Amino acid sequence: MIKVQFAAGWPRWKQWKHPLSLELARAGLEAELSRKHPPGQVDYVVYAPNPDMSDFTAYTRARAVLGLWAGVEDIVPNATLTQPLTRMVDSGLREGMVEWVTGHVLRHHLGMDAYVVNPERAWQPFAPPLARNRPVTILGLGELGAACAEALRALNFPVTGWSRRARTLPGVRCLSGEVGLSEALEDAEILVLLLPLTAQTENLLDADRLALLPQGAVVLNPGRGALIDDDALLAALDEGRVGHATLDVFRTEPLPDDHPFWRHPRVTVSPHIASETRPETAAKVIAENIRRCEAGEPLLHVVDRKAGY
Ligand code: NDP
């Protein structure tokens, strides 16, 4: 009997217990899923950062730690974790992120706010350009960035993407490197951040790089808060160089009450909801990885801990 420890926190247990048990059984695994196996007997750890679990030392026979989240910046530096670590890549996360990004791109592209809040009932006809004339840049062309690029291309937006290694995506101008980043920012009327948080990406969007954006550009950040230098963004918003920032993620979450982002007229705050890991689809990914490991096949979505994502 394979022992699977659910170490992702008590509140998630209620959501995950049933779908995960079901998918383990569907994968043909004789597995016992629990929150309370003795650590030394555990074969697989299903994990999301939570206050009850940060030391993996006692999980001496665990063959893998299977993360429930796409972002792993809180797990990667954990020196007690010596097993292979996987992160979540699944259709639910992709779909959710495509919907959030597409929705917010269209909101800003179409200037919807002017009509949604119009207490004076002002008749102010304003025809937005067509999408084909609104360049969008996505920093990060991984699982989520590439899916968003494809969806925005399908709506006719000219899409530029930037990644660490050179990539090729149909219909997308793909750039990499420092020069590529400058080019990607220079015509980004709408900029989407879908990078992981690593030592290389922290504060990537600083004052110098914000200054490369076209006047009035919109910044959407569903990636990680620390990708942006907050003070530099606030200064750019105050000066109107950045027209609006829609932020889903922050250095400190929940965003503290006294943070200027809450009050800034050019900032929209959403509470880290751009894309949730949904148990119904994600449980299949966990079960498939356990099946693969049991069958001696390579794990999917293994984190490169040196690269940090
Ligand atoms: P991936 O690992 O699949 O993609 C990451 C992308 O970023 C890759 O294209 C990678 O380049 C690029 N990248 C990484 N480091 C650098 C660098 N130093 N310079 C340039 N490009 C770099 O991640 P996902 O697409 O699955 O997820 C992206 C992030 O989205 C997550 O890390 C997480 O922080 C965030 N997220 C937020 C959610 C929310 O609800 N707000 C939900 C889910 C995820 P390369 O292609 O060369 O590897």
Side-chain angles (χ1 to χ4, degrees):
M1 182 72 80
I2 304 162
K3 289 197 166 29
V4 180
Q5 180 86 337
F6 188 84
W10 166 245
R12 283 188 198 92
W13 175 238
K14 279 184 278 176
Q15 279 179 291
W16 281 84
K17 187 181 170 184
H18 179 67
L20 195 47
S21 302
L22 188 73
E23 294 304 335
L24 290 167
R26 276 189 183 152
L29 297 164
E30 284 198 20
E32 192 186 336
L33 176 67
S34 168
R35 291 182 64 238
K36 299 205 167 141
H37 291 305
Q41 295 178 15
V42 167
D43 298 296
Y44 298 94
V45 181
V46 175
Y47 182 70
N50 70 92
D52 302 332
M53 165 84 173
S54 56
D55 188 349
F56 294 84
T57 314
Y59 291 85
T60 45
R61 81 175 228 183
R63 300 174 63 188
V65 172
L66 310 166
L68 294 185
W69 293 357
V72 287
E73 70 280 358
D74 292 339
I75 320 175
V76 162
N78 189 327
T80 70
L81 198 167
T82 52
Q83 296 85 352
L85 168 67
T86 65
R87 68 184 194 97
M88 186 48 65
V89 172
D90 93 312
S91 59
L93 267 176
R94 261 194 309 273
E95 280 176 45
M97 190 58 81
V98 165
E99 290 176 19
W100 190 93
V101 167
T102 308
H104 286 279
V105 164
L106 285 173
R107 167 192 168 196
H108 293 294
H109 167 62
L110 296 173
M112 286 181 185
D113 292 12
Y115 308 111
V116 173
V117 182
N118 185 10
E120 315 276 298
R121 282 175 256 154
W123 183 261
Q124 19 183 14
F126 155 76
L130 290 172
R132 68 178 67 255
N133 296 317
R134 177 86 73 188
V136 178
T137 286
I138 304 178
L139 302 187
L141 280 182
E143 294 292 336
L144 303 178
C148 293
E150 189 186 341
L152 293 170
R153 270 306 303 147
L155 290 170
N156 278 343
F157 288 100
V159 179
T160 297
W162 183 73
S163 55
R164 188 164 65 95
R165 295 160 290 192
R167 301 229 157 223
T168 312
L169 290 176
V172 176
R173 182 171 69 134
C174 295
L175 302 172
S176 57
E178 192 58 41
V179 175
L181 177 58
S182 299
E183 280 180 40
L185 294 174
E186 272 161 13
D187 71 349
E189 291 189 19
I190 300 178
L191 176 69
V192 183
L193 301 186
L194 271 170
L195 293 163
L197 180 59
T198 67
Q200 284 68 43
T201 62
E202 186 167 4
N203 287 321
L204 185 106
L205 202 60
D206 59 11
D208 290 345
R209 294 198 175 112
L210 282 164
L212 295 174
L213 293 170
Q215 178 71 22
V218 167
V219 174
L220 308 182
N221 187 12
R224 282 294 180 261
L227 298 173
I228 303 181
D229 175 335
D230 286 3
D231 292 337
L233 178 61
L234 284 163
L237 286 159
D238 286 341
E239 291 163 20
R241 279 188 294 108
V242 170
H244 197 98
T246 294
L247 309 173
D248 184 60
V249 284
F250 306 89
R251 281 165 195 272
T252 306
E253 294 181 4
L255 185 65
D257 278 352
D258 59 353
H259 197 288
F261 284 155
W262 279 120
R263 294 185 309 279
H264 202 289
R266 294 195 167 120
V267 174
T268 300
V269 169
S270 71
H272 201 147
I273 45 74
S275 190
E276 284 277 313
T277 300
R278 291 167 167 83
E280 292 68 28
T281 50
K284 291 187 208 306
V285 181
I286 300 287
E288 167 63 6
N289 251 343
I290 295 178
R291 188 205 63 74
R292 292 173 76 96
C293 199
E294 290 296 304
E297 298 170 22
L299 287 165
L300 300 170
H301 320 310
V302 176
V303 173
D304 175 348
R305 295 184 70 179
K306 207 158 152 233
Y309 66 100

